[in-house]
Amino acid sequence: MSQSLAAAGRAVVPRAEVVVAGDLARPSRLTVADLLAWPQHAAAVSFDCSTSGVQHHRFTGPLLHDVLSAAGPGFDPARRKDRLRFLIAVTGADGHHALLSWAEIDPDFGCARVLLAATIDDTPLDRAGPQLVLPRDRCGARYVSGINSLRVDGGYGSWTR
Ligand SMILES: Nc1nc2c(c(=O)[nH]1)N[C@H]1C(S)=C(S)[C@@H](COP(=O)(O)O)O[C@H]1N2
Ligand SMILES: [Mo]
């Protein structure tokens, strides 16, 4: 391939982006390359799919909690009760979505080691987009792939005392 063709080829390689938005001080757009710059965690998982049976995969990527905490969720971090009204909506490019509670991934509460995976079985997900990884889930349905939106929502009442 000529150099100009190679350059043109690179220019059109789709790079999936995740919109990180909602009740956040620092909303952003993240690529898989951005996710690879975070401290990486690994998970070897098995999950059951109602249509294709049990699957086994190895994923690496940052913790969802690390990425969303850095985006500045709109609660007072010193007040544990304030976090309990926050939801996280995770949406794939095909519209498949799952809701998590903030408390589910918060180290003071459920402390689930949920990853925003940047690789699957040693292959980067930079074209497809990151995948949600929930090592404790028996069922695969919340392993949302091709994530294009992460939305934090604290609209479920307000902290009063
Ligand atoms: N974006 C997206 N992610 C998804 C799904 C989907 O339909 N869309 N299906 C889920 C289900 S039901 C399972 S079991 C796992 C694995 O699905 P796969 O076998 O299609 O890879 O992905 C999950 N993630
Ligand atoms: Mo599934």
Side-chain angles (χ1 to χ4, degrees), residues 10-24:
R10 272 198 299 279
V12 297
V13 169
R15 290 271 181 267
E17 277 196 332
V18 182
V19 173
V20 184
D23 296 327
L24 298 171

Side-chain angles (χ1 to χ4, degrees), residues 28-125:
S28 65
R29 301 176 78 93
L30 296 175
T31 62
V32 163
D34 296 327
L35 297 180
L36 288 167
W38 287 81
Q40 300 292 294
H41 296 253
V45 303
S46 305
F47 55 78
D48 185 42
C49 175
S50 57
T51 51
S52 55
V54 177
Q55 299 186 29
H56 309 273
H57 292 291
R58 284 174 297 110
F59 293 97
T60 66
L63 293 176
L64 179 63
H65 186 263
D66 285 349
V67 173
L68 293 182
S69 295
F75 50 67
D76 179 346
R79 298 183 189 278
R80 293 179 185 170
K81 279 182 177 175
D82 198 19
R83 298 176 221 158
L84 304 183
R85 65 192 161 89
F86 277 71
L87 294 181
I88 303 161
V90 182
T91 309
D94 62 352
H96 181 58
H97 50 213
L99 294 178
L100 282 70
S101 69
W102 184 275
E104 183 174 356
I105 61 165
D106 190 306
D108 288 329
F109 297 100
C111 198
R113 244 176 109 261
V114 175
L115 305 191
L116 199 49
T119 76
I120 179 170
D121 303 325
D122 300 318
T123 303
L125 287 165

